[in-house]
Amino acid sequence: AARDSWSPGSWLPGFAAWFYLRSQAPTTIEDLPNETRFVPCQLLMAHGVVSSIEVPISAKTRPYGVLSANSRTRRIFTTDEINFVWSIANVLATSIEQRRATTELDEKRERLSALSRRLLDAQEAERRSIARELHDDFGALLSALKLNLQRPGTEAENLSLVDQAIQQVRDLASDLRPSILDDLGLAEAVSWYAARASETGEVPPHEPLPDQV
């Protein structure tokens, strides 16, 4: 039987589980009640076990438990029997490692999928924001400029509208990719963007970002 849970004290030095795992190899027991290498397992003795093979289920990073082959009669196990139990323990360890690796891979794939969905959502939100800004602000400026061009004596107002349109195009380009990102890096670009958003009231004032960002 494979055992991966023991009483809390059984893992302490001198107890059976501690001895089995520390050996990193099969342990054969001919007479469990009279065993002197460690404190015998009370659970096994309560079930009348006299002789046994104890093999740690060991992986690369940690042991997962102990595989035990027990007998209620006193006997000496052969080399083939010991190697057979050991091979089963190795198969169990490999299976557990593969299961854990598969679980970790599935979790990483799920996190990657969630990040991809968040990225797509952010891109879609940015597209909507750009479309709204072009329609509501830039489009309104161009419409006003078109109407003014049909009226004489509006040159000064037209120039003002053109300046506003140019500034909005520059702001939009800066929002899409600020030049500070290429010049000073991500941390400075995020700080600049947050400060700008704070000034316009889009977000509350922020604390300075750490240098390690």
Side-chain angles (χ1 to χ4, degrees):
R3 299 194 299 273
D4 59 2
S5 61
W6 302 68
S7 62
S10 65
W11 293 102
L12 297 175
F15 284 82
W18 174 83
F19 184 88
Y20 301 152
L21 296 175
R22 184 171 178 269
S23 66
Q24 298 183 347
T27 299
T28 57
I29 303 169
E30 185 178 347
D31 186 6
L32 182 62
N34 297 313
E35 180 60 55
T36 59
R37 293 172 294 177
F38 49 82
V39 178
C41 177
Q42 297 299 317
L43 179 62
L44 291 180
M45 290 197 298
H47 284 80
V49 172
V50 177
S51 299
S52 67
I53 304 172
E54 307 289 346
V55 183
I57 304 174
S58 300
K60 295 180 180 179
T61 56
R62 52 157 290 188
Y64 292 112
V66 176
L67 180 64
S68 179
N70 306 307
S71 172
R72 288 191 172 94
T73 59
R74 183 169 179 173
R75 57 171 297 182
I76 298 175
F77 295 97
T78 66
T79 301
D80 288 342
E81 290 172 331
I82 296 171
N83 288 336
F84 177 72
V85 178
W86 199 357
S87 66
I88 295 177
N90 290 334
V91 171
L92 287 174
T94 301
S95 178
I96 294 172
E97 285 283 275
Q98 290 178 343
R99 181 63 179 271
R100 286 178 175 267
T102 300
T103 301
E104 291 177 0
L105 182 60
D106 289 341
E107 291 175 352
K108 291 179 179 178
R109 284 175 175 169
E110 180 59 31
R111 289 198 296 268
L112 180 59
S113 178
L115 288 174
S116 297
R117 289 193 296 270
R118 290 177 60 185
L119 177 61
L120 290 175
D121 290 343
Q123 289 176 339
E124 185 60 28
E126 184 66 19
R127 293 189 184 100
R128 288 195 298 268
S129 176
I130 294 172
R132 184 169 55 251
E133 187 169 350
L134 287 173
H135 178 272
D136 296 344
D137 299 333
F138 193 65
L141 280 175
L142 293 180
S143 297
L145 180 60
K146 178 181 178 181
L147 291 175
N148 279 356
L149 289 175
Q150 297 173 1
R151 296 183 303 164
T154 58
E155 289 80 2
E157 185 178 352
N158 292 342
L159 289 176
S160 176
L161 290 174
V162 170
D163 289 339
Q164 292 180 46
I166 292 173
Q167 185 59 47
Q168 286 197 2
V169 170
R170 288 175 176 172
D171 291 342
L172 184 59
S174 182
D175 288 341
L176 290 174
R177 186 174 181 83
S179 59
I180 192 174
L181 179 62
D182 298 319
D183 298 336
L184 300 179
L186 178 61
E188 290 294 334
V190 171
S191 295
W192 169 83
Y193 193 85
R196 179 184 172 191
S198 298
E199 292 174 358
T200 59
E202 297 177 24
V203 296
H206 71 289
E207 295 294 331
L209 292 176
D211 294 337
Q212 290 78 13
V213 172

